[in-house]
Amino acid sequence: MKKDIQIPEVTDVEMAIVYEYNDIYKTDDWNVYIINKKNVDIEMVVIVSQGFSKTKTTSLLRKKLEKLPANSFAKVELIQPELFSLSNRFQVTFFEGNTLYDKTFTFEANTIKEGALRMIPELNKRGVLAK
């Protein structure tokens, strides 16, 4: 039965962690974004995130977006710098039309830092993209 389920490869969807200024609290924050570079909307987007190492595991966080329009992005969550010493995994599941897609994005431990920031054109902000 399991072998009969076909889940196609995910393309043109990315996760980024961005270092940006928060106008409300007057602080520099790290935020997680999902980017839809497709020319079609994606729907029922569910993101499950967790930090982990050999000795530590954070609790699961879940976020649902009803719809992420074509060529757009959405802020998913604030992430604390204390978690950067852990690997951070984001499992993304969504529908494109009637097809279910699933991909796990991982930010390896100690790869999120100011020295690794690069311009992400879709956001027009500096950040790190997941592998």
Side-chain angles (χ1 to χ4, degrees):
M1 294 277 276
K2 217 174 181 183
K3 64 179 174 51
D4 296 328
I5 299 173
Q6 299 293 325
I7 299 178
E9 181 182 352
V10 172
T11 58
D12 297 329
V13 173
E14 295 183 327
M15 295 294 297
I17 295 183
V18 173
Y19 191 56
E20 61 189 337
Y21 186 72
N22 183 323
D23 289 324
I24 296 170
Y25 297 108
K26 310 292 187 226
T27 59
D28 290 313
D29 294 336
W30 293 90
N31 292 300
V32 180
Y33 283 85
I34 184 168
I35 305 167
N36 177 12
K37 295 172 27 176
K38 295 176 176 288
N39 291 323
V40 295
D41 299 348
I42 59 177
E43 298 175 321
M44 295 295 297
V45 182
V46 177
I47 304 164
V48 179
S49 62
Q50 184 173 43
F52 64 95
S53 69
K54 290 182 180 180
T55 59
K56 293 181 183 177
T57 303
T58 67
S59 58
L60 289 173
L61 289 175
R62 294 173 183 87
K63 174 80 174 192
K64 177 184 164 205
L65 303 169
E66 288 292 329
K67 181 177 181 180
L68 187 59
N71 300 303
S72 69
F73 58 87
K75 189 183 295 187
V76 177
E77 64 188 37
L78 172 77
I79 187 167
Q80 297 297 323
E82 294 80 17
L83 296 174
F84 298 164
S85 63
L86 305 174
S87 292
N88 289 278
R89 175 177 44 225
F90 295 85
Q91 184 176 359
V92 178
T93 306
F94 61 90
F95 280 94
E96 180 183 327
N98 289 327
T99 305
L100 177 69
Y101 289 82
D102 180 74
K103 183 170 183 176
T104 300
F105 297 90
T106 304
F107 293 92
E108 296 297 333
N110 302 310
T111 59
I112 305 165
K113 51 191 167 196
E114 285 190 53
L117 297 177
R118 301 290 178 261
M119 183 56 75
I120 301 172
E122 295 82 9
L123 302 175
N124 197 26
K125 298 178 182 190
R126 292 169 31 93
V128 178
L129 290 172
K131 295 185 181 195

